[in-house]
Amino acid sequence: MKKTFSWLILLLLVVSAAFAYWAFQPVLSAGSELKGGDFSIKAGSGVRSAARQIREGGVPMDPFMFEMLARLSGKANKLKAGSFEFEANETPIDLLTKIVNGEFSHASLAIIEGWTFQQMRNLIDAHPGLKHDTAGLSGKELMGKINPDYQMPEGLFFPDTYLFAKGSSDLQIFQQAHQSMLRHLDEAWKARNTSLPYKTAYEALTMASIIEKETGRASERSLIAAVFINRLKVGMLLQTDPTVIYGMGEQYKGKIRKIDLLTDTPYNTYTRAGLPPTPIALPGIASLSAAMNPEKSVSLYFVARGDGSSQFSDNLTEHNRAVNKYQR
């Protein structure tokens, strides 16, 4: 009897040692061609289901052994749902700790200054690391979920690089970018030159979006802002091509014709006075700042020189000379 008991103790010790050795050895062998990868655990999964999902996600680890490790360590009920990344040098105990601590794998996307909302949405809709909960929603429906105070989404999202846990809802990115824009807009509005002809911060945001699209050189941003502000003050048409292009939508094929300048749309600043009804792009901080605090200038015109810079003029005679020199 004692001999049998001793053998059982010895067997238990051997099994425990083997299990401990397994738990602290790297999941991937030194000669493995695998270098690591991602796996996901669905919400509501128990430890057995989670272990199976880890294996199905490409981690070459025995699900039963991982389940036993989680149970014996008292962490079976502490597993987090989400996407995780495993690396070649990680052990099963490392992976368990990562899952329990919620150390999710991350991805990022960059929204570029001057993009339209549609360009931003196309990027988000195509990102494989996001859960696409907003797919099929109209812009108005999307804003209803984010901020019902606005109906049109254009201009209301801040261009930046956003980091997120893989598998996150795309709604999270929209909410984060929107809140970031509201914060930057509020800061710029509070620091604005109060003599400017804006009734609301939204009007200033619209102006910032025009400045963003018109600026060829960053150093000229505040001068371009001054031209448009001066035009608003004296009641001149803004006559800015980017608004015409925005109003044309899919009809724009890369070139503006004379008929396009004469065709009225809510965004045609050659046919309608004042600012367009909404922003036309996503402006960055520099354009917000320029819209709120333009350079002191009496210029009413500018024309592209062809090298990315612009020639500014105070009157139509000077402007016509500049057009003849640089455009004709």
Side-chain angles (χ1 to χ4, degrees), residues 34-193:
L34 293 173
K35 302 299 180 183
D38 294 329
F39 64 91
S40 297
I41 297 176
K42 297 179 181 179
S45 298
V47 62
R48 183 167 299 174
S49 175
R52 185 175 64 254
Q53 291 172 59
I54 294 171
R55 183 66 184 87
E56 291 172 350
V59 183
M61 183 172 60
D62 185 271
F64 174 77
M65 294 287 279
F66 185 81
E67 178 186 348
M68 291 300 99
L69 175 63
R71 293 187 186 281
L72 291 173
S73 62
K75 298 178 179 179
N77 296 323
K78 299 179 181 180
L79 305 184
K80 303 289 193 308
S83 294
F84 302 88
E85 182 178 0
F86 73 95
E87 300 175 2
N89 62 342
E90 287 186 314
T91 66
I93 197 70
D94 290 334
L95 276 180
L96 178 61
T97 301
K98 178 181 288 186
I99 295 168
V100 169
N101 292 340
E103 298 173 22
F104 306 112
S105 59
H106 288 83
S108 66
L109 57 81
I111 301 168
I112 309 301
E113 294 175 354
W115 272 8
T116 62
F117 168 74
Q118 189 59 54
Q119 287 175 298
M120 169 188 174
R121 189 162 196 186
N122 290 343
L123 176 71
I124 291 176
D125 285 348
H127 201 293
L130 287 168
K131 184 170 62 171
H132 300 287
D133 293 327
T134 69
L137 294 181
S138 68
K140 183 177 180 179
E141 290 170 333
L142 177 63
M143 291 310 301
K145 290 182 174 293
I146 297 172
N147 187 343
D149 290 341
Y150 299 94
Q151 292 191 349
M152 299 295 290
E154 191 62 79
L156 290 169
F157 300 87
F158 189 71
D160 203 350
T161 297
Y162 294 92
L163 184 70
F164 55 91
K166 291 181 179 179
S168 299
S169 171
D170 57 356
L171 188 60
Q172 175 184 321
I173 303 298
F174 286 117
Q175 290 172 329
Q176 187 177 353
H178 177 61
Q179 290 303 316
S180 182
M181 177 56 84
L182 292 185
R183 183 175 67 256
H184 287 298
L185 178 60
D186 182 62
E187 292 172 355
W189 181 251
K190 289 178 179 177
R192 76 189 186 283
N193 180 338

Side-chain angles (χ1 to χ4, degrees), residues 32 249 279 295:
S32 174
E295 190 163 322

Side-chain angles (χ1 to χ4, degrees), residues 193 195-196 220-234 290 293-302 311-315 318:
N193 180 338
S195 68
L196 300 179
E220 296 179 346
R221 205 181 301 266
S222 60
L223 273 172
I224 289 173
V227 169
F228 290 131
I229 292 296
N230 291 339
R231 286 191 164 218
L232 285 179
K233 286 182 175 180
V234 299
N293 291 281
E295 190 163 322
K296 292 181 179 180
S297 170
V298 295
S299 294
L300 291 169
Y301 305 88
F302 65 90
Q311 177 67 43
F312 295 85
S313 303
D314 298 345
N315 55 63
E318 291 179 3

Side-chain angles (χ1 to χ4, degrees), residues 159-314:
D160 203 350
T161 297
Y162 294 92
L163 184 70
F164 55 91
K166 291 181 179 179
S168 299
S169 171
D170 57 356
L171 188 60
Q172 175 184 321
I173 303 298
F174 286 117
Q175 290 172 329
Q176 187 177 353
H178 177 61
Q179 290 303 316
S180 182
M181 177 56 84
L182 292 185
R183 183 175 67 256
H184 287 298
L185 178 60
D186 182 62
E187 292 172 355
W189 181 251
K190 289 178 179 177
R192 76 189 186 283
N193 180 338
T194 55
S195 68
L196 300 179
Y198 303 131
K199 295 178 181 178
T200 64
Y202 188 74
E203 287 187 351
L205 177 65
T206 300
M207 176 63 81
S209 72
I210 296 174
I211 295 167
E212 189 70 63
K213 297 299 287 185
E214 279 281 15
T215 301
R217 284 189 178 179
S219 60
E220 296 179 346
R221 205 181 301 266
S222 60
L223 273 172
I224 289 173
V227 169
F228 290 131
I229 292 296
N230 291 339
R231 286 191 164 218
L232 285 179
K233 286 182 175 180
V234 299
M236 287 180 64
L237 295 173
L238 293 183
Q239 294 185 320
T240 170
D241 290 355
T243 63
V244 177
I245 293 170
Y246 187 85
M248 291 173 66
E250 294 182 358
Q251 294 180 3
Y252 177 67
K253 304 301 181 182
K255 186 176 181 180
I256 299 179
R257 303 164 299 170
K258 185 176 181 179
I259 187 63
D260 298 324
L261 299 178
L262 297 175
T263 302
D264 184 54
T265 76
Y267 292 88
N268 190 336
T269 51
Y270 284 81
T271 61
R272 298 197 182 193
L275 291 163
T278 72
I280 61 170
L282 311 178
I285 289 179
S287 291
L288 287 171
S289 178
M292 307 293 187
N293 291 281
E295 190 163 322
K296 292 181 179 180
S297 170
V298 295
S299 294
L300 291 169
Y301 305 88
F302 65 90
V303 63
R305 290 193 180 107
D307 61 357
S309 66
S310 299
Q311 177 67 43
F312 295 85
S313 303
D314 298 345

